[in-house]
Amino acid sequence: MIITGITLQTKNTERVNLFVDGEFYAGVSALSAYKFRLEVGMEIDKMQLDKVLLDSDKDKAFDYALTYISKYTPTEKILKNKLYEKGYGKVVVEYVADKCKGYGYINDGEYARSYVALNSNIKGKSRLKMELRAKGVDEKYIQSALDKMPDNNACEELAKKHSKNQDLHDPKYRAKLIRFLQYRGYEWEDISQALATLRLVEED
């Protein structure tokens, strides 16, 4: 096979159209074309072309990842899922994820710490753990973040806010309040302490 044409794409000058044996073969990154020293008249086989396309896909996927990360703060799992959704294969996805981790663009440990810090005043440990697991964060990062979670009486404050103008002696309301706090991820120990404190405040 012979490369018969290499032309810049009109909508993206960082990519080129590659023509082989007189026909369009694929669009590849200009960087990949340069790295493999592609030029018109060059003889090339299918294996070499596959290497060029794989390298080009890595460049394109990494560019997409940088754009996504500039708008959002994803975990490794979320970023990988976005790349899979764009149609990239496992080799490319793993390459991009590793590269982003190497540059510090994604960091699940830091993500877990930030997530807990931002939500610890409205959610309990169980809820935070469940949400971080769903985002693909490793257990060691989750536990480390929860161990540093401040003891800010968040369950008590949330219960106080929810129970304003309510009768804490009403069994139906107490059951409703308990379900609400459990849904927010608070352990029974925290909930019972909050209820005990609220009753003392009401009696005072």
Side-chain angles (χ1 to χ4, degrees):
M1 295 187 287
I2 305 294
I3 296 177
T4 52
I6 301 175
T7 60
L8 279 176
Q9 293 186 357
T10 54
K11 292 184 178 180
N12 186 352
T13 56
E14 293 183 355
R15 293 180 65 78
V16 298
N17 293 320
L18 184 64
F19 294 83
V20 177
D21 293 338
E23 296 184 352
F24 173 75
Y25 188 83
V28 300
S29 71
L31 181 60
S32 293
Y34 174 78
K35 281 195 289 186
F36 285 88
R37 299 179 180 178
L38 303 184
E39 58 184 29
V40 175
M42 176 180 175
E43 189 173 344
I44 194 167
D45 60 29
K46 180 68 165 56
M47 186 177 294
Q48 289 173 303
L49 284 170
D50 286 344
K51 288 181 180 179
V52 174
L53 294 181
L54 177 60
D55 189 79
S56 178
D57 278 349
K58 288 178 177 178
D59 287 342
K60 188 176 181 181
F62 184 62
D63 286 343
Y64 170 79
L66 292 183
T67 299
Y68 185 78
I69 291 169
S70 70
K71 298 177 182 178
Y72 309 98
T73 304
T75 61
E76 181 179 347
K77 178 184 178 180
I78 291 173
L79 179 63
K80 284 182 175 180
N81 286 344
K82 294 302 293 185
L83 290 168
Y84 281 126
E85 288 172 9
K86 297 295 287 186
Y88 294 109
K90 183 177 177 62
V91 172
V92 172
V93 171
E94 292 295 337
Y95 165 83
V96 172
D98 287 343
K99 192 171 182 179
C100 287
K101 283 193 292 184
Y103 282 124
Y105 297 153
I106 54 174
N107 184 323
D108 282 6
E110 183 58 39
Y111 183 96
R113 286 191 292 273
S114 297
Y115 194 85
V116 169
L118 287 170
N119 293 280
S120 61
N121 62 328
I122 56 173
K123 298 176 183 178
K125 288 186 176 181
S126 296
R127 179 73 179 272
L128 291 169
K129 184 181 291 187
M130 178 184 68
E131 292 178 353
L132 286 169
R133 281 175 177 168
K135 295 174 185 293
V137 179
D138 191 278
E139 288 293 330
K140 64 181 179 183
Y141 296 132
I142 295 175
Q143 194 57 53
S144 176
L146 292 178
D147 287 344
K148 296 181 178 67
M149 186 172 171
D151 184 13
N152 53 10
N153 296 321
C155 182
E156 182 182 324
E157 290 301 318
L158 196 60
K160 188 182 297 183
K161 183 177 179 181
H162 190 280
S163 63
K164 188 177 181 179
N165 299 323
Q166 298 289 338
D167 181 8
L168 286 171
H169 297 289
D170 180 354
K172 289 184 178 180
Y173 174 70
R174 280 172 54 80
K176 180 180 179 181
L177 177 58
I178 290 171
R179 287 196 301 272
F180 169 74
L181 294 173
Q182 287 175 330
Y183 173 75
R184 286 298 184 97
Y186 291 103
E187 305 289 347
W188 174 246
E189 182 180 353
D190 296 323
I191 294 173
S192 60
Q193 179 61 45
L195 293 176
T197 302
L198 285 177
R199 283 200 299 273
L200 286 174
V201 171
E202 187 181 60
E203 289 170 4
D204 288 345

